[in-house]
Amino acid sequence: MRAAVLHETGQDKLEVLDDIEAVGFGPGKVRLRVRATGLCHSDLSAMAGVLPQPAPFVPGHEGAGEIVEVGDGVTALSAGDRVLVCWLPACGGCPSCRRGQTELCLTGFMNAGTPGFRRPGGSPEEVFGMSGTGTFAEEIVLPASCAVAGAHDHPDDNP
């Protein structure tokens, strides 16, 4: 699979690699084929080292796509569903969520520290996704709560 990778923080060029694999699929997760992505100032800030993001990483945390596969326990989504990527979903159970302040939920930040990709035989083998997502890749694996069902009649090539 292809993905754009920033090898070291502070670099200003991405390298498109053909040997990246999305990892971590399992219970509670979805595999998503990315159909559209955006470049945000946050991506540029992470690339420059202003925002903390482990490297190497695949930029992109805003995107849309189609569910390819759902893991065990995922009941609200199915293969073929068109979704938007939510890089920081509300968990629903932390103190902030229970107070109705879901925008303050920090649970999603835990995704950022887990590699979402790997390069078989590559160096280094582990590759992170920007904010736990990495939408500059053809496919990503996300917690089901990070995939928000979208309009099925909206074309991929029309923002």
Side-chain angles (χ1 to χ4, degrees):
M1 168 187 77
R2 290 184 316 155
V5 176
L6 183 80
H7 293 284
E8 294 181 25
T9 302
Q11 290 180 321
D12 59 356
K13 289 190 178 183
L14 300 172
E15 181 180 10
V16 177
L17 301 173
D18 291 325
D19 63 347
I20 298 290
E21 294 178 2
V23 298
F25 183 75
K29 303 279 184 95
V30 297
R31 181 178 306 279
L32 173 73
R33 181 172 296 115
V34 177
R35 297 291 191 193
T37 188
L39 177 64
C40 175
H41 190 268
S42 298
D43 297 300
L44 298 174
S45 294
M47 291 169 66
V50 175
L51 290 178
Q53 172 62 55
F57 72 94
V58 175
H61 62 285
E62 298 173 349
E66 180 180 327
I67 300 290
V68 175
E69 182 179 17
V70 298
D72 290 342
V74 177
T75 57
L77 298 166
S78 23
D81 285 351
R82 299 195 43 194
V83 298
L84 302 173
V85 173
C86 176
W87 65 274
L88 190 58
C91 73
C94 72
S96 294
C97 286
R98 288 194 308 267
R99 285 192 311 271
Q101 294 177 302
T102 56
E103 73 279 6
L104 300 177
C105 179
L106 299 179
T107 303
F109 281 111
M110 296 171 61
N111 293 336
T114 303
F117 304 94
R118 72 180 175 101
R119 293 186 70 191
S123 178
E125 186 174 295
E126 293 182 330
V127 179
F128 296 88
M130 170 69 182
S131 298
T133 58
T135 58
F136 283 26
E138 292 177 318
E139 288 190 3
I140 56 177
V141 172
L142 300 168
S145 59
C146 291
V148 180
H152 291 276
D153 60 350
H154 194 277
D156 293 324
D157 62 350
N158 186 9

